Amino acid sequence: MSHRTIRPALAAVAAVAVLGLTAACGTSGPSGAGAPAAAGSAAAGKGSASVWIMSGVTEKTFKDSFDRWNGAHPDQSFTSQSFANDAYKQKVHTAIGAGQAPTLIYSWGGGTLRQYAKNDVVVDLSPLAQDPAFADKFLPSVLATGEVDGKTYALPNNGTKPVMIYFNKDVFSKLGLQPPATWDDLMAMVPKLVHAGVAPFTVAGQAQWPLLPYLAYLVDRIGGPEVFANIAADKPDAWSDPAVTEALKDIQQLVDAGGFQKGFASTSTDSGADVALLYSGKAAMTLGLPSAYQTMLTADPAFVKAGKVGIIPFPAVTGGKGDPKDVTGNTSNYWSVSASASKADQQAAEDYLKAELSSPDYVSSLLATGNIPAVKGIDDQLAKTDQPEYYETLYKAAEDAPSFQLSIDQALAPNAATALTTNLQQIFLKQLTPQQFVDAMNKTIGQG
């Protein structure tokens, strides 16, 4: 495998862009809390490789994995430190700019990874990713997010999180409704729900990013995955694709029909106020990440365990080009190998990735934290979980997806991501027309 040497000046430029992007990604980071760990954690063994671990739900999975590796490979061991989300972003920004990044770099893919690859910050892992003995262990739709211009620079290290529609089965049953298979079916349901005093959808508009899946799914269903691929690639006037305008019109039609709860723009997701409307029967559906389900499980476990939550894909659009099996969401989190690390540490990192990321212990640990591994052939393990229908439904959505669109705020460069969430909220609030949105977003293309 060829390794490329970091260019400090370019890396500094990349780090500035990367920090801006990660700060803009409302759907990207784990909600880990806590102060950064003290620097200088003792290394186990003789290795000099390093890794910074994100605190939060998956922290134990990471730590246990490196402990296993260090115990079995003392000459290739890793020194690890843990950081909360924001602290990590600040520290890795500084370290990359100085050419002193940890051997394994944690990221969210998308615009961040493109900046890393463009500026030679990370190693090309294509030989490993193209080795059938390795690649065939992972879901292709998730592995693809680690690619930039046909080369692989990152490998999945966390659970996969497709956005799905979660619905209240009691509400549907009482009103004689069936889960919508098409957008037309969904729109036909809206007046029935409104008449019954139930919000068709609950959404946390205050944070802005929960609005993104509506645009992502409608654009995909209407125009196919190529539309957002062109946008992410900064092709001139890519936002002018007719699928974007049609999707924006559909969103505003849904708003006009009363498709969301009153005051949705001020509803908070941090407090769980959005999904509370679902399990209380005040809303019929929510379009969200798996965190919506986990919030309901925590807030009203009896409701969830009684089987009252249904999970369905986003409906098809009649005549659209997109495959109804396409999904959007957080494909995973990723490890990249730093190009500024020594050749020995780079080799240790690649050996670790090859051995650990699909190991049975790693898969079991992710499942224990409520995460869905992006690893093939784990049906038996999913069936043994405490919520098999939930795990199996989301896993199959990721497994069968011809295209898994990374959450679009993560997929874009920082300026575009910020403009996107702001302008999309104005679409929902009827403060912008679809054409005004398109014109504004086209101006962000190529601006970083």
Side-chain angles (χ1 to χ4, degrees):
M1 177 175 297
S2 61
H3 302 291
R4 295 186 291 177
T5 303
I6 193 169
R7 292 181 287 180
L10 286 176
V13 173
V16 172
V18 166
L19 182 66
L21 177 63
T22 53
C25 294
T27 59
S28 60
S31 57
S41 301
K46 303 174 183 178
S48 58
S50 60
V51 60
W52 295 346
I53 295 170
M54 297 296 291
S55 62
V57 172
T58 323
E59 182 176 6
K60 188 176 187 301
T61 297
F62 295 148
K63 286 186 174 181
D64 288 351
S65 176
F66 285 107
D67 284 345
R68 283 194 303 272
W69 175 263
N70 288 350
H73 304 84
D75 292 333
Q76 290 185 308
S77 61
F78 285 78
T79 299
S80 65
Q81 298 181 57
S82 294
F83 296 90
N85 188 35
D86 291 342
Y88 167 78
K89 291 173 182 175
Q90 294 170 5
K91 187 171 179 66
V92 78
H93 156 63
T94 302
I96 288 175
Q100 298 176 348
T103 310
L104 282 173
I105 300 174
Y106 183 100
S107 79
W108 291 262
T112 303
L113 186 62
R114 284 202 306 276
Q115 291 288 347
Y116 285 165
K118 177 182 178 181
N119 293 289
D120 294 337
V121 171
V122 292
V123 168
D124 180 2
L125 299 173
S126 297
L128 178 58
Q130 292 168 4
D131 179 357
F134 178 83
D136 286 352
K137 295 179 180 179
F138 295 91
L139 302 182
S141 64
V142 177
L143 202 60
T145 297
E147 297 177 4
V148 177
D149 295 333
K151 296 181 179 180
T152 297
Y153 294 94
L155 299 171
N157 65 9
N158 209 333
T160 184
K161 302 176 178 67
V163 169
M164 304 289 282
I165 291 179
Y166 297 88
F167 69 95
N168 186 315
K169 291 182 179 179
D170 281 351
V171 169
F172 272 57
S173 178
K174 289 175 182 177
L175 296 178
L177 301 174
Q178 296 295 321
T182 68
W183 181 255
D184 290 339
D185 292 341
L186 188 152
M187 291 302 298
M189 291 169 50
V190 169
K192 297 177 183 178
L193 288 162
V194 172
H195 180 73
V198 178
F201 281 97
T202 173
V203 67
Q206 185 183 70
Q208 297 182 340
W209 63 260
L211 306 174
L212 293 169
Y214 292 90
L215 178 64
Y217 268 126
L218 281 167
V219 169
D220 175 88
R221 296 294 190 262
I222 295 167
E226 297 79 9
V227 180
F228 270 124
N230 291 336
I231 289 170
D234 277 343
K235 291 191 176 181
D237 296 323
W239 286 98
S240 295
D241 191 291
V244 176
T245 301
E246 187 173 343
L248 295 169
K249 289 179 179 178
D250 285 344
I251 288 171
Q252 291 192 328
Q253 181 184 13
L254 180 60
V255 172
D256 287 342
F260 301 96
Q261 79 274 19
K262 293 181 179 179
F264 69 86
S266 59
T267 302
S268 169
T269 189
D270 293 336
S271 65
D274 50 342
V275 293
L277 297 176
L278 184 66
Y279 60 74
S280 66
K282 296 178 181 177
M285 297 173 284
T286 190
L287 178 65
L289 291 162
S291 56
Y293 181 91
Q294 298 296 338
T295 298
M296 286 186 280
L297 185 60
T298 300
D300 194 346
F303 175 79
V304 176
K305 293 178 180 179
K308 296 183 178 182
V309 181
I311 309 173
I312 55 173
F314 193 87
V317 171
T318 303
K321 298 178 182 178
D323 192 314
K325 291 183 178 180
D326 288 349
V327 295
T328 187
N330 294 351
T331 50
S332 185
N333 299 113
Y334 292 82
W335 287 128
S336 295
V337 178
S338 172
S340 64
S342 69
K343 291 291 192 284
D345 287 349
Q346 289 178 0
Q347 189 62 55
E350 293 178 30
D351 290 346
Y352 164 82
L353 296 172
K354 187 174 183 179
E356 276 291 315
L357 293 186
S358 61
S359 72
D361 286 337
Y362 201 91
V363 168
S364 295
S365 183
L366 281 174
L367 285 170
T369 63
N371 279 288
I372 301 168
V375 176
K376 291 182 179 179
I378 61 171
D379 291 3
D380 289 346
Q381 289 166 281
L382 296 172
K384 295 176 183 177
T385 61
D386 57 348
Q387 298 289 322
E389 182 181 0
Y390 161 74
Y391 285 101
E392 290 168 354
T393 300
L394 269 68
Y395 180 81
K396 186 168 180 57
E399 181 181 35
D400 293 347
S403 170
F404 195 148
Q405 168 64 53
L406 179 65
S407 296
I408 51 180
D409 59 335
Q410 296 176 35
L412 299 180
N415 288 342
T418 300
L420 172 63
T421 52
T422 300
N423 290 331
L424 186 58
Q425 187 185 54
Q426 291 180 315
I427 284 288
F428 273 76
L429 295 175
K430 305 293 296 294
Q431 295 172 351
L432 282 180
T433 66
Q435 188 59 52
Q436 288 172 328
F437 175 96
V438 167
D439 292 343
M441 292 308 303
N442 274 333
K443 292 178 182 178
T444 69
I445 292 175
Q447 293 186 358

